[in-house]
Amino acid sequence: MQRTYHFVAMPPTRAEGEVLSALVEVGRRRDCAGGTPVLHRGDPGTGFWLIESGHVMACRFGPEGERTLFAVLGPGDLIGEVACFAGVTQQVDAITEGEASLVWIEMAQVERLMADKPHVARWLLGTLANKLRAALDRVEGDQSLSAQARIARVLVDLAAREGAELTLTQQQLADHVGVSRVTTGQVLARFAQEGAIERGYGGLRVLSVERLAAHSA
């Protein structure tokens, strides 16, 4: 299943067509087994990954091993580019979810590519702007919205990006929203009772975006 769980309302930023071809051409491919760490928080920001196939979790691990999940990224997505452009160390850990094929791109190659192909530069700037907007939206949501509203926003966004069938575990949703798995389960049960979603093993189906959207403010 192709999916990109940014957990916020933002337009797609997947590399496609000429942009994808240009990035793959300058990079170095690596095939990874599931559960492979490909970035560590604190790594030098000298390059970033393009996901060619498979999925990668962007997260942070706390001192007690607890995990905060920020996104599950899929084909065409980038991970690690924000640190490169900001000139800082990597800000997240990245782990493959299942087998994945990634393309490593050094920042020096990106600079040459941007100079030669302005449309690639515009696309990269657009992805950075969208990620900044996503971060601001999340901060605002964490401060002012209930757990129910945040979960509803996540599901509305995913349905718009990925379609009605979502392979998304209750724990992934709970990790991101920052509430317990029990609370997430209670909210999903309420949505199912209202006919907004249909729950299944390892995922759910969105039946009514309109009903979910009514809970998102």
Side-chain angles (χ1 to χ4, degrees):
M1 175 183 177
Q2 187 180 37
R3 54 188 166 144
T4 303
Y5 293 167
H6 291 291
F7 300 110
V8 286
M10 61 184 294
T13 56
R14 292 192 183 110
E16 298 176 329
E18 292 183 9
V19 171
L20 177 62
S21 298
L23 291 171
V24 170
E25 185 178 351
V26 300
R28 184 176 70 253
R29 184 176 286 103
R30 175 183 172 187
D31 294 323
C32 302
T36 302
V38 294
L39 280 182
H40 295 91
R41 187 179 178 188
D43 285 348
T46 57
F48 57 82
W49 291 106
L50 164 70
I51 303 170
E52 193 170 27
S53 66
H55 298 89
V56 175
M57 295 182 290
C59 56
R60 280 185 179 178
F61 291 97
E64 304 300 323
E66 66 276 17
R67 185 184 73 184
T68 300
L69 180 67
F70 296 115
V72 180
L73 305 172
D77 284 317
L78 307 180
I79 184 164
E81 82 285 7
V82 174
C84 293
F85 283 98
V88 299
T89 58
Q90 295 293 345
Q91 302 299 296
V92 298
D93 299 291
I95 304 170
T96 58
E97 186 188 50
E99 294 182 354
S101 180
L102 311 179
V103 177
W104 177 254
I105 305 168
E106 294 283 349
M107 195 59 195
Q109 296 168 316
V110 175
E111 290 172 349
R112 289 194 294 271
L113 185 61
M114 292 173 65
D116 294 338
K117 299 185 177 182
H119 67 285
V120 175
R122 288 193 296 271
W123 182 86
L124 286 167
L125 290 173
T127 66
L128 294 173
N130 278 321
K131 287 189 176 182
L132 173 59
R133 181 163 64 85
L136 294 174
D137 286 346
R138 181 174 180 183
V139 169
E140 179 185 25
D142 287 348
Q143 291 177 341
S144 62
L145 297 178
S146 66
Q148 178 173 286
R150 279 181 277 161
I151 291 171
R153 283 193 173 189
V154 168
L155 297 179
V156 168
D157 178 53
L158 294 182
R161 293 170 59 83
E162 307 298 332
E165 297 284 349
L166 302 176
T167 303
L168 174 69
T169 68
Q170 187 170 304
Q171 189 61 60
Q172 284 179 322
L173 197 52
D175 286 345
H176 175 78
V177 176
V179 298
S180 71
R181 190 173 183 275
V182 172
T183 298
T184 302
Q186 291 171 344
V187 171
L188 293 178
R190 190 175 308 129
F191 290 164
Q193 187 175 18
E194 294 176 0
I197 65 170
E198 180 179 66
R199 303 175 72 180
Y201 180 75
L204 58 88
R205 177 200 293 266
V206 174
L207 301 177
S208 174
V209 171
E210 292 76 14
R211 290 177 182 174
L212 286 175
H215 290 288
S216 65

